[in-house]
Each structure stands twice: as C-alpha cells, then as structure tokens.
C-alpha cells in the first residue's frame, strides 16, 4: 500500500468527460444553477442542496481495502476527479472492524495513515460519493457494510437524498462478483434516496478489449486480486481514473453554477 494520496486537487484540469480515447461532453442530467442553498420539496420531505462556500465541489472517495487493491483504484480515481475543473476529490477509508491480531494472521499490510477514517456525519458534506470495497461472496465487505449501518441518523433525516454515488470493487477471480458486488450495494443507495451513477460503456474501446484479463464492468471500475499477489493493471487503473472524471463531470453538471 503506497503512501500519500492527499486531498489537494491536480494542477491539470479538464472540463469534459473522457470517453475511451476521445473527449465528449458529459452525458449526465441537465445543468442547473444552484445558489448558496436550494430547497426541493419531495413528497413530505425537503431535500436541501448546498453549494460549498469556497465554490469548489467535493467528491468523496470512500473505500475499504485490506490488501491495497481497492486503494490503488481509489488513488487513481482521485486523479480523475481532480482533473475536472472546479471539482476536488477527498480520500477517506472506513474503519477496520478486525483486530490487529486477526489482520496479522491474514498478512494484511499496514493501512495508509495519511488517509483519514470517515464518520457517518461527514458524508453529508460530499456533493458526490464513490464507494470502493472488495467482495465477500458477491457482496460488499463487512467493514463497508458496517459503515453503511452507521448512517441511520442520516437516513432518518434524509440527509443524503439526491446525492450521486457510484461503486468500484475488487474480486479474487473473474467470476467472483465484479458485477454482483456493485449490484447488491445499490440497495444502500436506494434507502437513502441517493442517485446511482454507473459508468455504462463510456470508457469506449477500453470496455471491449478482450486481449487481457481486466476487472471493471458497466457498474464501475474493478480489479482482479487473484491470490493477492496480482496488482491492478494499467487498464484497470485507467478505468478507475475515467470513473473519477465521469463522476466529477456529473456532479459539476448537476450542482455547479453556470
């Protein structure tokens, strides 16, 4: 697991979504102008959309990574988010639920302490969220589920309603849950009223190349870990970067002032 990650935006920034090897205008929801605070009545609830006071938009990349595979995608995804002008990525990891004794027996490397642990209340500050986690029998790891379980207070007041969110994953094998791990996680977003943003086939030709083993699906970026020794390939990392750019452009299109 590498050091760093940080939260500072990249100096190189773009305005559009990258589709494969070409550049295209974002294909998300239509652009809207948002003042400092806008209220939208939805049935008996009121969804409040706030624009950050400094004018920047924040995409939180919230992940759990035991052996570093998901973390490698998260850090490359940050580069993609930071590449969109006016949007900044912030890396967070969720709390570990296993004891250090158990982690040592599983030969898990140390966590990157430069990446802070997120609490449920902080999630409200995000304009968009990308959640990353390894699979456990085709669904998210217990550590990420524990984090979602801690968001009951946000659910009660519908603080996350209307926020766009996406997923990225890691699995041990090609049939190990690249799609089902993301698919089954959608229930968490549905109960919060969050908006699931898949990448579809916006990565272009990179989604159709059959010449190499690679993770990822229309649901989001992915990496194959194998027995743990395999690291993310450049194709897998590029897809993660693309997902970061894509999500950032969607968030900007939805929330940034014209």
């Amino acid at each position: 697991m590498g050091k760093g990650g940080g939260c500072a935006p990249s100096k190189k920034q773009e305005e559009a979504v990258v589709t494969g090897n070409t550049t295209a205008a974002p294909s998300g929801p239509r652009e809207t102008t948002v003042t400092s605070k806008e209220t939208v009545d939805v049935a008996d609830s009121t969804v409040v959309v706030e624009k950050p006071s400094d004018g920047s938009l924040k995409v939180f990349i919230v992940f759990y990574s035991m052996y570093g595979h998901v973390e490698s995608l998260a850090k490359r995804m940050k580069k993609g988010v930071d590449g969109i002008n006016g949007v900044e990525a912030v890396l967070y990891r969720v709390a570990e639920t296993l004891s250090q004794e158990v982690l040592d027996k599983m030969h898990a490397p140390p966590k990157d302490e430069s990446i802070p642990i997120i609490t449920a209340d902080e999630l409200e500050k995000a304009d968009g969220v990308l959640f990353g986690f390894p699979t456990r029998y085709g669904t998210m790891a217990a550590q990420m589920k524990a984090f979602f379980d801690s968001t009951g207070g946000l659910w009660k007041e519908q603080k996350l309603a209307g926020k766009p969110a996406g997923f990225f994953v890691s699995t041990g094998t090609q049939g190990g849950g690249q799609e089902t791990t993301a698919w089954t996680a959608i229930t968490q977003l549905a109960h919060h009223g969050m908006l699931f943003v898949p990448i579809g086939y916006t990565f272009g030709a990179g989604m159709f190349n059959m010449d190499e083993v690679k993770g990822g699906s229309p649901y989001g970026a992915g990496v194959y870990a194998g027995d743990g020794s395999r690291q993310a390939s450049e194709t897998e990392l590029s897809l993660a970067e693309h997902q970061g750019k894509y999500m950032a452009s969607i968030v900007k299109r939805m929330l940034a002032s014209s």
Side-chain angles (χ1 to χ4, degrees):
M1 299 170 70
K3 290 291 182 182
C7 298
S10 169
K11 293 182 180 179
K12 296 182 180 180
Q13 299 187 318
E14 303 173 11
E15 291 285 354
V17 176
V18 174
T19 305
N21 295 322
T22 62
T23 302
S27 57
R30 65 182 178 84
E31 187 170 351
T32 57
T33 300
V34 180
T35 57
S36 59
K37 180 178 290 188
E38 178 179 320
T39 60
V40 182
D41 291 326
V42 181
D44 295 328
S45 300
T46 299
V47 177
V48 179
V49 179
E50 294 190 52
K51 181 184 175 184
S53 58
D54 63 358
S56 64
L57 297 168
K58 300 291 192 297
V59 172
F60 286 9
I61 302 175
V62 181
F63 68 92
Y64 174 74
S65 187
M66 177 172 284
Y67 295 106
H69 298 84
V70 173
E71 182 177 315
S72 66
L73 296 184
K75 289 181 175 179
R76 188 64 172 265
M77 199 166 284
K78 181 185 187 308
K79 179 180 178 181
V81 173
D82 290 343
I84 299 299
N85 186 46
V87 188
E88 177 186 2
V90 185
L91 289 173
Y92 285 106
R93 54 193 175 93
V94 301
E96 181 60 79
T97 60
L98 297 176
S99 68
Q100 189 59 51
E101 180 182 4
V102 171
L103 291 172
D104 289 342
K105 290 180 178 180
M106 298 177 72
H107 305 290
K111 300 288 193 294
D112 185 346
E113 297 297 336
S114 70
I115 301 176
I117 297 174
I118 193 170
T119 61
D121 290 342
E122 290 175 287
L123 206 57
E124 184 183 353
K125 302 173 186 176
D127 298 296
V129 190
L130 289 162
F131 296 101
F133 37 82
T135 188
R136 297 293 184 267
Y137 300 110
T139 60
M140 69 173 64
Q143 290 85 346
M144 182 60 72
K145 183 58 168 65
F147 173 72
F148 274 110
D149 287 349
S150 73
T151 62
L154 298 176
W155 166 81
K156 184 177 180 180
E157 298 183 20
Q158 288 296 285
K159 294 291 188 179
L160 303 182
K163 289 185 186 291
F167 301 123
F168 56 104
V169 304
S170 73
T171 64
T173 63
Q174 294 184 63
Q178 288 277 315
E179 293 187 343
T180 62
T181 302
W183 179 39
T184 53
I186 293 174
T187 58
Q188 313 298 312
L189 306 187
H191 281 259
H192 276 290
M194 301 180 81
L195 308 177
F196 175 51
V197 181
I199 58 173
Y201 286 87
T202 58
F203 194 49
M207 300 290 287
F208 297 94
N209 181 9
M210 300 291 287
D211 295 334
E212 63 174 311
V213 173
K214 63 182 185 302
S217 75
Y219 292 91
V223 56
Y224 290 128
D227 61 2
S229 61
R230 181 186 186 274
Q231 299 303 309
S233 68
E234 180 56 33
T235 298
E236 291 168 329
L237 293 171
S238 294
L239 180 57
E241 183 175 345
H242 168 77
Q243 185 173 6
K245 290 181 180 179
Y246 186 75
M247 174 60 82
S249 68
I250 293 296
V251 168
K252 184 174 181 179
R253 195 175 177 92
M254 291 178 65
L255 299 178
S257 299
S258 58

